[in-house]
Structure formats: structure tokens, C-alpha cells
């Protein structure tokens, strides 16, 4: 029996692994193993096979490639695929090797070691490791993780909650989905460590509606972990469930998420109080995104000092960057903070796609600044981005080519904000609609003198007076498009 490995990740399936699985389903002497994804989506469908010299891969495979694969003809050693070999993977180290719901795969590759170590530590010692690690939340705000955990741990309450924010809505981001579909036990382990540290007995994974496969896999993974006893310790059982949202971008904001989780419309709450003190149903709640929780097990297993030794002064550890748009090699890249945008686009993205010329890059989803070629020397870390008036967000990098209409791009992002605004505060609710209208008038050739000044004024008002990041950040794509590509706005 020959065993071949094919990813079951949604992106890999869309790129053709499902077609191969169906074509080869009844091939004699063949066992197809469905795994997590390597994240090298430009190589999908990627077929792998264990040979005496190690794991071999056949990229962009078609059903007709089966005879060659079985004969061991062609193929590349996985460890010589530069896109993968040049990365320094921690959270995604085992992706492509593990079967998503196989507890034995997860355990045999280091899974649960963080939780086991946490079991031997006091809550303060767990939080101490997080403090030493200098881990900052990977969802956008980049708040020190230990600090939120300390507040929730110190709060006196009869009930505390741990909530994973799986409402991954930024354009070009998918690392949370890869974790939930590919290594769901890693997310569960991170949440269990948090629960132990703060004294929580209930948890929710708030999964966006657009991720049905992730929600399904998570539910099965929770049941499997529960059967294996991982959800129970000397304090009793940790009740963990999946909650599917209704498709609102603003529910990625933690307080809107909590409103939705409580059964109401996703409207942002004023802060303070912060969720760590008064969150779900008014109880202390840690809300972090999936990638943040998934980073925690390695920190507990290998120690906070190890994590702090990676990255830059203000940005420790690794970052999962998701490169997309008009590059040759779209995919997931995990490297320590500090590489420049140019390095990432060239070395990992492979440069521009055939026939395309670089025009701009955006990081941070629909709220991210647009950078021209002259700004590609910015290091990927929180401080440098903040200094440049930008956000790293969830690590989505979208590259645009010279065929991109920047006015239309700016209008598109402002229309997105107008659609997704929760409506609670006036600068965002009205400012986004008026800004979109000005851009539409410009496109229709009906702009009036002073319109761009008005757009800038509206942008400054939204930045300074909006209640949450959606309104505060929405002007950035528009204002940076005008700053760097002024000719297109005349
Ligand atoms: S900034 Fe926009 S999304 Fe945020 S609270 Fe105000 S209206 Fe709602």
C-alpha cells in the first residue's frame, strides 16, 4: 500500500486537492491521507509521499501524474522547497504533516506539552512566562497578552470566560482558518492554558459564518479532546463550544463580538470597562484571536525566554504573514519580526506575477495603509509600522499591480466601512458615507473644488473621534492612496 498525503485545507481543496482525491479514490494499492496545509498555496495541489530519503513533494499535480508519483519519478524533497525551508516556523511547524483530527499526530509532534507544563505551574507563574515572552496579541491591537491575563486572573468573580476571536475578516488573511482546519488542538490547548491561568471554566470560539469547514472541524476536535480527557483537570471540566457569527466585519472587534455572543446585534461597547474585567455577561473575559492562543502552547513548552529571543525589541517572536495579490508565490510565511516588506515580497512572494509591475502594497486588511515602492524598506514589526502611521493588523499582505485604479480602490474600502459600520458613533456612520460619496463624485467627473480637502477633514475627524478601530482606521487607505498617488485623484 502506497500512502500519499494531500491537504484537506479549504484553500488547497479550492486549488485542486479534492479533484485529485476523487480521481484517485479507487486506485488500487493507494492510501490517501488528508492533512493540514503547508501554506504554500502556489504549489497546490501538492502531493507528498514518504520515501527512504525523506518526504518528497509533487507540486501542481494533476490526476495524470499518479504513475510518476508511484514510481518515485520527479518530485522535490520537501526540505528543499525554498519557500518553506527559508521560514522559521513555530506555530505552523507541523502543518502539512498532521491529520487535523488525529490526537496521536498532534501529541507525537509536541502537542499538549505546553498544557502539561502549565499544569505544573501556578496561575501567576503561567502569566509570568507570558510576561517574559513579551507576546503581544496578534489580532491587530498588539496589546501585551500577559497584562490582560493578569487583570482577569486578579478579578474576583464566580464565572470567567475565555473567548477565541475567529472572526477573521481582513482581506487576504487566512492563518486563523488554517489553524482551525489544520491543527485545531493547538487552539484548544492555548485556550486551556489561558483558562488555567485566569480560573475560567467556560470558553467559546466565535467563528465567522464564512468558515463552515473550520467550525465543523473545531466541533469534532473539541469532542475528541474531551473524550481523551484534555478538557478536564483537578478544577473540573472546561466547557468549550463553537459559536458561529452572522457575517459582520465589526464583530471582529472584541466588544461587538461579545454583544453578538450574548445574542444581540454586533454593536461596539464603549471601553472601559475592558473585557478582561467586565466582558461576556459582565464577567472577566479574555478575548484573543486564534493565532494568539495558538502561539501560547509553544511559549509554555519552550519557555518565555526562548520566545523573547526571536524578533525585534518591541515585537518578539514570529509573525504569520499571508502574502497575496499579484505575486508569484501566494501563501503563508512564518518568520521572526524584523524582515522588511521588500524582503518578504521578493524572497517569499517570489516577486511580481508574470507580466505584472508593482504599484502598491497594503498590510492590515481594509483598514491598512497603502505603501508605494519607495516605502518597501519598512521592517515588519509593530513599532516601525506605528511610526509609519500603519498597522500590521493580522498580517495580510496584498500586493497590487500597475493596472490598479487607486481611486476605485479607495472608494471600495470606504464603501466597505460604510456597509460594515455598526452605526454607534457619528464620525464613522456619517463620515464613511460622505467620504464614499465624494469619491464616487470624483469617479463620475463631478467633483467640486475643495472636495479632496473635505475628504481629508472627514478622515481626520474619523481618525480622532470614532469609537473603535473601524472608524479610526478607515481613512488610512484613502488618505495614503491620495498621498502616494495624487495624480489619480485630480
Ligand atoms: S467607529 Fe464605526 S464601527 Fe466603531 S463604534 Fe463607531 S460606528 Fe461602530
Amino acid at each position: 500500500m502506497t500512502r500519499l498525503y494531500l491537504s484537506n485545507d479549504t484553500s488547497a481543496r479550492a486549488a485542486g486537492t479534492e479533484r485529485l482525491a476523487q480521481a484517485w479514490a479507487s486506485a488500487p494499492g493507494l492510501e490517501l491521507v488528508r492533512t493540514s496545509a503547508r501554506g504554500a498555496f502556489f504549489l497546490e495541489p501538492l502531493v507528498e509521499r514518504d520515501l527512504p530519503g525523506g518526504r518528497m513533494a509533487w507540486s501542481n499535480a494533476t490526476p495524470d501524474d499518479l504513475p510518476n508519483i508511484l514510481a518515485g519519478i520527479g518530485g522535490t524533497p520537501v526540505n528543499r522547497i525554498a519557500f518553506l525551508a527559508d521560514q522559521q516556523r513555530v506555530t505552523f511547524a507541523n502543518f502539512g504533516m498532521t491529520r487535523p483530527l488525529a490526537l496521536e499526530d498532534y501529541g507525537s509532534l509536541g502537542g499538549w506539552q505546553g498544557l502539561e507544563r502549565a499544569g505544573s505551574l501556578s496561575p501567576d507563574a503561567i502569566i509570568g512566562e507570558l510576561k517574559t515572552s513579551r507576546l503581544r496579541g496578534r489580532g491587530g491591537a498588539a496589546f501585551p497578552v500577559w497584562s490582560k491575563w493578569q487583570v482577569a486572573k486578579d478579578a474576583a468573580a464566580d464565572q470567567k470566560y475565555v473567548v477565541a476571536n475567529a472572526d477573521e475578516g481582513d482581506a487576504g488573511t487566512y492563518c486563523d482558518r488554517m489553524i482551525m482546519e489544520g491543527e485545531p488542538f493547538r487552539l484548544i490547548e492555548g485556550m486551556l492554558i489561558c483558562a488555567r491561568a485566569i480560573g475560567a471554566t467556560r470558553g467559546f470560539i466565535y467563528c465567522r459564518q464564512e468558515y463552515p469547514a473550520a467550525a465543523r472541524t473545531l466541533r469534532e476536535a473539541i469532542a475528541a479532546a474531551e473524550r481523551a480527557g484534555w478538557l478536564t483537570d483537578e478544577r473540573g471540566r472546561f466547557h468549550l463550544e463553537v459559536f458561529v457569527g452572522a457575517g459582520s466585519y465589526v464583530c471582529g472587534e472584541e466588544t461587538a463580538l461579545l454583544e453578538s455572543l450574548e445574542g444581540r446585534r454586533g454593536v461596539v461597547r464603549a471601553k472601559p470597562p475592558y473585557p478582561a474585567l467586565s466582558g461576556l455577561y459582565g464577567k472577566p473575559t479574555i478575548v484573543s484571536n486564534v493565532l494568539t492562543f495558538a502561539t501560547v502552547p509553544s511559549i509554555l513548552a519552550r519557555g518565555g525566554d526562548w520566545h523573547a529571543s526571536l524578533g525585534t525589541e518591541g515585537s518578539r517572536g514570529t509573525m504569520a504573514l499571508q502574502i497575496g495579490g499579484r505575486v508569484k508565490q501566494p501563501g503563508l510565511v512564518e518568520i521572526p519580526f524584523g524582515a522588511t516588506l521588500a524582503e518578504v515580497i521578493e524572497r517569499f512572494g517570489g516577486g511580481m506575477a508574470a507580466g505584472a509591475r508593482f504599484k502598491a502594497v497594503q498590510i492590515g486588511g481594509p483598514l491598512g495603509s497603502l505603501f508605494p515602492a519607495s516605502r518597501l524598506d519598512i521592517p515588519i514589526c509593530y513599532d516601525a509600522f506605528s511610526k509609519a502611521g500603519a498597522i500590521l493588523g493580522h498580517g495580510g499582505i496584498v500586493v497590487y499591480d500597475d493596472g490598479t485604479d487607486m481611486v476605485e480602490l479607495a472608494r471600495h474600502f470606504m464603501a466597505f466601512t460604510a456597509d460594515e459600520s455598526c452605526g454607534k458613533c457619528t464620525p464613522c456612520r456619517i463620515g464613511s458615507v460622505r467620504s464614499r460619496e465624494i469619491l464616487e463624485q470624483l469617479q463620475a467627473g463631478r467633483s467640486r473644488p475643495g472636495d479632496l480637502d473635505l475628504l481629508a477633514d472627514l478622515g481626520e475627524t474619523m481618525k480622532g473621534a470614532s469609537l473603535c478601530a473601524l472608524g479610526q482606521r478607515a481613512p488610512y487607505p484613502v488618505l495614503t492612496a491620495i498621498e502616494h498617488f495624487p495624480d489619480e485623484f485630480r
Side-chain angles (χ1 to χ4, degrees):
M1 182 72 77
T2 302
R3 180 179 291 171
L4 299 183
Y5 301 93
L6 276 176
S7 172
N8 203 32
D9 174 273
T10 293
S11 295
R13 288 163 67 106
T17 58
E18 196 55 26
R19 189 161 36 89
L20 295 189
Q22 284 172 11
W24 298 343
S26 52
L30 192 64
E31 181 193 1
L32 294 175
V33 179
R34 306 306 296 268
T35 65
S36 47
R38 298 244 179 221
F41 292 117
F42 63 102
L43 298 178
E44 296 287 358
L46 188 68
V47 183
E48 298 185 21
R49 181 182 172 193
D50 288 317
L51 285 172
R55 181 73 71 94
M56 296 289 287
W58 283 260
S59 57
N60 307 122
T62 68
D64 295 340
D65 290 330
L66 185 59
N68 279 346
I69 296 171
L70 293 178
I73 297 170
T76 308
V78 170
N79 59 14
R80 283 209 222 127
I81 298 174
F83 178 84
L84 297 170
D86 290 350
Q87 299 186 34
Q88 194 171 340
R89 288 192 167 189
V90 178
T91 303
F92 290 88
N94 302 326
F95 276 65
M97 293 187 281
T98 42
R99 291 168 296 166
L101 291 168
L103 278 161
E104 62 271 34
D105 288 10
Y106 185 61
S108 69
L109 291 169
W112 307 117
Q113 286 178 5
L115 181 61
E116 283 173 336
R117 172 140 187 269
S120 68
L121 299 175
S122 69
D124 280 323
I126 296 172
I127 293 170
E129 282 292 358
L130 265 286
K131 188 174 182 180
T132 304
S133 78
R134 296 173 65 182
L135 173 68
R136 296 167 68 169
R138 301 291 193 241
F143 202 71
V145 173
W146 75 271
S147 171
K148 291 206 297 193
W149 288 26
Q150 188 76 57
V151 169
K153 183 243 158 200
D154 290 343
D158 56 355
Q159 179 73 63
K160 297 180 186 179
Y161 297 100
V162 177
V163 176
N165 181 348
D167 197 47
E168 184 179 48
D170 282 356
T173 61
Y174 46 79
C175 67
D176 287 355
R177 183 188 55 70
M178 278 181 64
I179 292 167
M180 293 186 285
E181 290 185 9
E183 212 164 90
F185 299 124
R186 179 170 281 274
L187 167 62
I188 294 170
E189 184 180 359
M191 294 180 76
L192 287 167
I193 293 169
C194 177
R196 185 170 188 90
I198 69 165
T201 53
R202 292 207 69 178
F204 294 91
I205 301 170
Y206 186 97
C207 185
R208 72 191 301 236
Q209 189 188 40
E210 294 85 345
Y211 284 175
R216 208 165 42 239
T217 305
L218 282 169
R219 288 195 174 103
E220 289 180 41
I222 291 168
E226 184 153 18
R227 282 195 300 275
W230 289 108
L231 266 57
T232 304
D233 63 14
E234 73 283 356
R235 299 172 305 126
R237 180 171 162 236
F238 181 66
H239 299 262
L240 180 59
E241 55 187 282
V242 177
F243 181 98
V244 176
S248 162
Y249 179 76
V250 81
C251 285
E253 195 281 337
E254 59 180 357
T255 61
L257 181 154
L258 293 174
E259 285 288 301
S260 173
L261 202 47
E262 290 181 16
R264 289 188 290 278
R265 190 161 70 91
V267 175
V268 173
R269 297 176 185 170
K271 292 186 278 194
Y274 291 92
L277 212 49
S278 177
L280 189 62
Y281 304 112
K283 303 293 185 183
T285 305
I286 292 299
V287 186
S288 283
N289 81 328
V290 170
L291 181 60
T292 308
F293 281 124
T295 306
V296 168
S298 301
I299 292 174
L300 265 293
R302 299 166 79 164
D305 283 325
W306 159 80
H307 185 266
S309 71
L310 302 170
T312 64
E313 174 56 29
S315 308
R316 302 301 174 125
T318 59
M319 183 65 190
L321 302 164
Q322 301 120 87
I323 309 175
R326 296 286 282 148
V327 290
K328 276 198 193 103
Q329 302 183 165
L332 177 122
V333 174
E334 184 181 0
I335 49 173
F337 287 97
T340 64
L341 268 172
E343 282 172 49
V344 170
I345 292 170
E346 284 301 320
R347 187 170 170 199
F348 295 101
M352 296 301 290
R357 285 200 318 193
F358 180 91
K359 183 166 188 179
V361 61
Q362 185 181 37
I363 305 193
L367 311 180
S369 301
L370 287 154
F371 292 118
S374 60
R375 304 299 304 276
L376 294 182
D377 57 346
I378 297 177
I380 296 177
C381 62
Y382 298 119
D383 296 340
F385 266 61
S386 165
K387 220 163 118 188
I391 50 166
L392 201 43
H394 196 38
I397 300 178
V398 180
V399 176
Y400 296 98
D401 67 17
D402 60 354
T404 307
D405 176 340
M406 300 312 277
V407 178
E408 171 53 20
L409 194 62
R411 188 211 63 81
H412 166 77
F413 287 125
M414 197 47 85
F416 176 83
T417 299
D419 285 347
E420 296 293 337
S421 167
C422 81
K424 180 156 181 161
C425 63
T426 309
C428 170
R429 186 182 66 244
I430 306 294
S432 58
V433 174
R434 294 291 169 257
S435 300
R436 188 202 66 206
E437 287 170 353
I438 291 170
L439 290 163
E440 285 170 349
Q441 291 296 322
L442 181 67
Q443 282 181 312
R446 290 197 295 265
S447 59
R448 297 162 306 185
D451 268 3
L452 285 186
D453 292 336
L454 183 56
L455 199 56
D457 271 0
L458 281 167
E460 290 307 318
T461 305
M462 289 175 71
K463 282 200 246 175
S466 294
L467 187 58
C468 82
L470 180 54
Q472 291 162 5
R473 289 289 325 177
Y476 280 86
V478 177
L479 298 180
T480 51
I482 295 172
E483 178 188 347
H484 299 304
F485 306 94
D487 292 349
E488 297 189 32
F489 290 82
R490 291 205 176 106

